Amino acid sequence: MADEKAGRFPDPHEYQVPPELEGWEEMYPSHYLFSKERGEWEKNQFWYLDKIHAPEPMPPLDLLFQEAWQISLSQYTTRVFCIPPAQGIAQRMVGPYMYICAIAPPPDEVIGEKAQLFEKRVFYVFEHYNELWDKWLVKFKALGKEMEAVEVPKELPKFVPEDQVLPAPTGCYVSYDLIEAFGKLVNQMFKGWQYHFEMLNLTYLAYLMFGDVCRKLFPGISESAIGKMVAGAYVSMFRPEEELCQLSRLATSLSGVADILKNETTADQKIAELGKSEDGKKWLEAFDKAKDPWFYVSCGSGWFHYEGSWINNLDIPYSYIKSYVERLEKGETIERSLDKVDKEREETVAKYRELMQTDEDRESFDGAYKTVRTIYKYAEDHLFWVEHWFHTIWFSKIREFGSLLVDNGMINEVDDIYMFNRYEIPELLTEVATGWALGVDIPVRGDYYKAKVDKRRKILKAAIEWNPTPALGIPPEEVAEPFTIMLWGVTTDRVKEWLESMGEVSAEDVSELKGFASSAGVVEGPARVLKRLKEIVDLKEGEIMVCPTTNPSWAPVFTKIKAAVTDIGGLTSHAAIVCREYGVPSVTGTGVATTVIKTGDIIKVDGETGVVTIVKRA
Amino acid sequence: MDYILNFELLDKGSLQMVGGKNASLGEMIKAGIRVPPGFAVTTDSYLGFITGTGIKDAIFKILSNLAPDDVEDLNKTSAEIQELINNASMPVKVQKAIGEGYSLLCEKCSVENVPAAVRSSATAEDLPTASFAGQQDTYLWVKGEEKIINGVQKCWASLFTPRAIDYRNKKDFPHEKVLISVGVQKMVNSRTAGVLFTINPTDGDPSKVVIEGNWGLGETVVSGSVNPDKFVVDKVVMETSEKTISAKHIECIFDPDKGEVIDAEIETDRQKQCCLEDQEIKELVKIAKEIEKHYGRAMDIEWAIDKDFSFPESVFIVQARPETVWSQRKKESVIGKKSGYQLLMEQAMKRIKIPG
């Protein structure tokens, strides 16, 4: 059995990347590469392409988030809460793409030890969730503020300012501050990511438990029905959108404001225009009040520097506001009714309860439901604060370093800093500090670094055109790691489908795809394939969005589209949740939709059976 | 004594008088379910017939002589009794009552000689504990008073088909105790018809309604002579989790030339066409839930979509009986009594198998 399986996904040590990617290895830390020393172990694991966290080629500095979650997610499972048979998730780079692997269970005696710790530690969290969350939020906000307060030297002064020397010498100067500041940021990011998983593993575990209970009671219950019963309280993640709705409503109630917001001008022009009237100023005030923290939201997942955040690209929130104002003027409702979502959830639960055959089942169901509802809020709340708010602060701090490096001739563009990984940047900073310390007219190796940037950009660009294998190594016989099942949607069926898709069939021959039936409804329409997040602007009203995965800041898009199809993502993936809320049909976790479907193809999305059919090729 | 009773006057308490099928139709009308109009020829009419004509004693005498497990003898006995019944003449009062009932039905439908279904409705059928279903005859598309009366008499005779006799013997159900009524019901001009269950008969999932349907009358689905289209719908979120469109090669339709229902071939492109619209599926589920709630148990329901009416008036229920397989099982807890933490611990210990 194992031998048969072994032959079906490539051996990670033999898998070849295209020649245009030559030299990719130097972009990433050495422990990210498949290596001879760990060869035996690596060969026997099952590695799959992580399209959730790395749908695009990985810029070296952005890998730091991945580094951070590999440690944090894994430690909570293996060493903190001790989910008995589960181990961590390991990462490797193949070219600029990341593969991950849920490590096989530990020996039985370790499972036994973990079970005891699990009981004691985990139940405490459930019993004290609300107070733990309150504390979490306080400490996380403090950490973000700390990061915001890190001072990145704007320039290296010709001479150290007098007040740093006399009368009380500080004793250490900008050459040190520079390196310390970067170190602080990195440490804070790692700390933030430790916090990120503080309750997430348990959230996912509880969700899986509840799903299982539901399936025992109702063998044919759909994943979307289970999702409906659990979801509904993700306030923070949808707050940015709610704020936009409120600002749009405010605009229509003030004089002249809506008209300015509807203009085809830039955000800056609008702000200038609004500043000329009393009502306009009033509105700008409201906008400023909302923007921190709520517009510290990534235009993408928060995982990549180039996605940008609303706060740094005000044209984005302003364009959403424009379309909301227009819709309000047409008499449409723009807000999601949270009360309605809540009420619907309660009704759904009550109806299923009624269908249960015994009181004993009802009681156990209530216990399971209470457990999952207690903690599920965490799944959506943490996301805003970590991936969006915190990462937004990080990116702007890193850009300060970027501009310092530009000013000192080390790189050409601010964002070139992202072409170096977190171990390399101190090297660049050290050279700058050294040059400054040595005196005037000291040359730096700018050309050397600039050449590296060019080469790396070329590799990343070439990698976009490359479709790496969905998996490497040997599929396991069982999976116990909760994230693998829930977040990546890696289940029995999915692996089987990947195996099948490895076959000889070319993309053009595929006419049907299967995934999770994430949001009910059946529609047909033209596909818009968005392989990269920035292509979102191409999306037209009434199209079916086909993408690797989606993110909360895409929310306003969901009122535009007819349906959504994703490559990766289980039933609690963002696309699934939002589609259910907007009543937009969706099929998630198809594995290959963005490869098989082309923009303009007429496709049929059946959100009830999880089938996507290509009706007519463009 | 009532020879006939309008369906609207019946309910589940009328079982002894009109049999299970008819009582259930009356019960549904009371519950506000759309059922085609009609009337029941009571068991009293049948009793009056077998006693009045003096064939009663002969029937039970023949039955008492039946050798057990002798197929030949069973067939002979059945033929003898059925001949007795068919050859006896129905009391004039009963004939008159049926004639009046039928003309009222025609009047109500504003159709002369309205086509009707003449169905047997025995007192020992469709009980939750035993399925006597389909043992007695049904005659479809019967038109005109004379043919209706004749159909009623044939239904009476069908109480003694070899299968019905044998089944009662095997279940030790006394022959004298079983009486028969006949329902005369306006024929649905059926575009699509079939059966549905308010529980998934495959896995006992109580949150599902399973619908099977085919073009034409429901007979092809009930008899299993085609692979029907199948829909599995969740009662709570109303999602269709399964939709199987089969190649349905035949349909049961009325042939006006022959004056009877026939199995006709379905033209190729219609075979693979879905026989129900989404709104019809949703309406059927809605009605199924109402019926289940009314009876307080899982039900097995026959339905039809009438092409003469527009939606939703086109959706008719023609039969409903208790589901017998899952509802007879002892209701046991599937999870057991467990706290949320116990369940969480179990989940934490779980490994999900990925078969090769």
Side-chain angles (χ1 to χ4, degrees), chain A residues 412-431:
Chain A
N412 287 322
E413 307 280 341
V414 173
D415 276 8
D416 287 350
I417 188 173
Y418 292 105
M419 292 301 115
F420 298 97
N421 67 46
R422 70 159 172 123
Y423 305 94
E424 293 172 317
I425 290 168
E427 188 187 331
L428 275 79
L429 295 176
T430 306
E431 186 172 354

Side-chain angles (χ1 to χ4, degrees), chain A residues 234-247:
Chain A
Y234 23 87
V235 180
S236 318
M237 202 53 249
F238 287 88
R239 202 47 199 281
E241 196 205 348
E242 280 161 34
E243 294 290 334
L244 290 183
C245 292
Q246 275 175 32
L247 285 168

Side-chain angles (χ1 to χ4, degrees), chain A residues 313-608:
Chain A
N313 300 267
L314 289 179
D315 285 334
I316 292 170
Y318 272 87
S319 77
Y320 286 147
I321 289 170
K322 175 176 187 285
S323 82
Y324 281 147
V325 167
E326 285 164 352
R327 285 176 50 205
L328 278 173
E329 288 183 344
K330 274 189 237 158
E332 292 176 30
T333 310
I334 52 172
E335 294 90 352
R336 312 171 321 128
S337 164
L338 277 180
D339 289 349
K340 209 177 117 202
V341 171
D342 262 5
K343 213 177 134 219
E344 270 176 16
R345 186 191 60 233
E346 279 161 26
E347 277 171 13
T348 304
V349 173
K351 283 181 192 162
Y352 278 116
R353 268 186 107 258
E354 216 175 293
L355 291 169
M356 287 166 206
Q357 310 274 305
T358 68
D359 286 340
E360 211 166 276
D361 280 339
R362 254 183 286 270
E363 235 175 88
S364 300
F365 171 86
D366 289 347
Y369 187 59
K370 192 173 157 247
T371 305
V372 70
R373 286 283 298 153
T374 302
I375 201 165
Y376 195 71
K377 305 187 254 304
Y378 191 79
E380 288 293 338
D381 276 337
H382 81 281
L383 189 63
F384 172 78
W385 292 105
V386 185
E387 277 97 323
H388 292 269
W389 184 70
F390 195 54
H391 280 200
T392 297
I393 299 172
W394 159 269
F395 288 127
S396 61
K397 285 288 160 190
I398 291 302
R399 288 200 172 90
E400 291 182 31
F401 277 106
S403 75
L404 186 88
L405 290 173
V406 172
D407 293 346
N408 286 278
M410 298 292 282
I411 50 177
N412 287 322
E413 307 280 341
V414 173
D415 276 8
D416 287 350
I417 188 173
Y418 292 105
M419 292 301 115
F420 298 97
N421 67 46
R422 70 159 172 123
Y423 305 94
E424 293 172 317
I425 290 168
E427 188 187 331
L428 275 79
L429 295 176
T430 306
E431 186 172 354
V432 170
T434 309
W436 176 79
L438 287 173
V440 293
D441 297 334
I442 310 297
V444 289
R445 294 194 66 190
D447 287 346
Y448 168 78
Y449 292 111
K450 287 172 188 171
K452 263 192 199 278
V453 169
D454 277 352
K455 185 182 170 195
R456 292 177 179 191
R457 285 204 184 278
K458 272 188 198 124
I459 293 173
L460 295 180
K461 199 168 164 217
I464 291 172
E465 305 307 320
W466 178 46
N467 261 320
T469 171
L472 294 161
I474 303 170
E477 270 154 25
E478 54 193 23
V479 174
E481 200 287 311
F483 285 91
T484 309
I485 305 160
M486 207 165 120
L487 193 58
W488 285 276
V490 176
T491 61
T492 309
D493 293 349
R494 234 10 53 83
V495 174
K496 231 158 75 190
E497 278 155 29
W498 285 348
L499 280 167
E500 279 159 15
S501 76
M502 292 290 293
E504 51 305 321
V505 188
S506 72
E508 286 71 31
D509 296 335
V510 179
S511 63
E512 199 180 278
L513 302 173
K514 273 201 178 138
F516 290 104
S518 290
S519 177
V522 185
V523 292
E524 198 175 302
R528 168 70 56 182
V529 182
L530 306 175
K531 273 206 175 176
R532 284 177 285 287
L533 305 169
K534 56 188 164 205
E535 294 165 1
I536 202 165
V537 290
D538 300 332
L539 194 76
K540 290 184 191 69
E541 185 108 27
E543 287 183 323
I544 296 174
M545 178 166 74
V546 180
C547 52
T549 175
T550 75
N551 304 290
S553 64
W554 294 31
V557 165
F558 284 83
T559 57
K560 243 180 163 183
I561 58 171
K562 241 180 168 174
V565 178
T566 71
D567 284 349
I568 290 277
L571 297 143
T572 50
S573 62
H574 169 259
I577 294 169
V578 188
C579 282
R580 286 197 289 272
E581 295 233 332
Y582 285 95
V584 172
S586 110
V587 174
T588 59
T590 60
V592 290
T594 59
T595 318
V596 168
I597 299 168
K598 308 281 173 231
T599 292
D601 287 352
I602 302 299
I603 61 173
K604 189 175 144 196
V605 178
D606 190 332
E608 291 169 4

Side-chain angles (χ1 to χ4, degrees), chain A residues 207 210 222-232 345 571-572 580:
Chain A
Y207 189 92
F210 179 69
S222 70
E223 288 294 344
S224 68
I226 297 171
K228 246 180 214 168
M229 284 192 270
V230 175
R345 186 191 60 233
L571 297 143
T572 50
R580 286 197 289 272

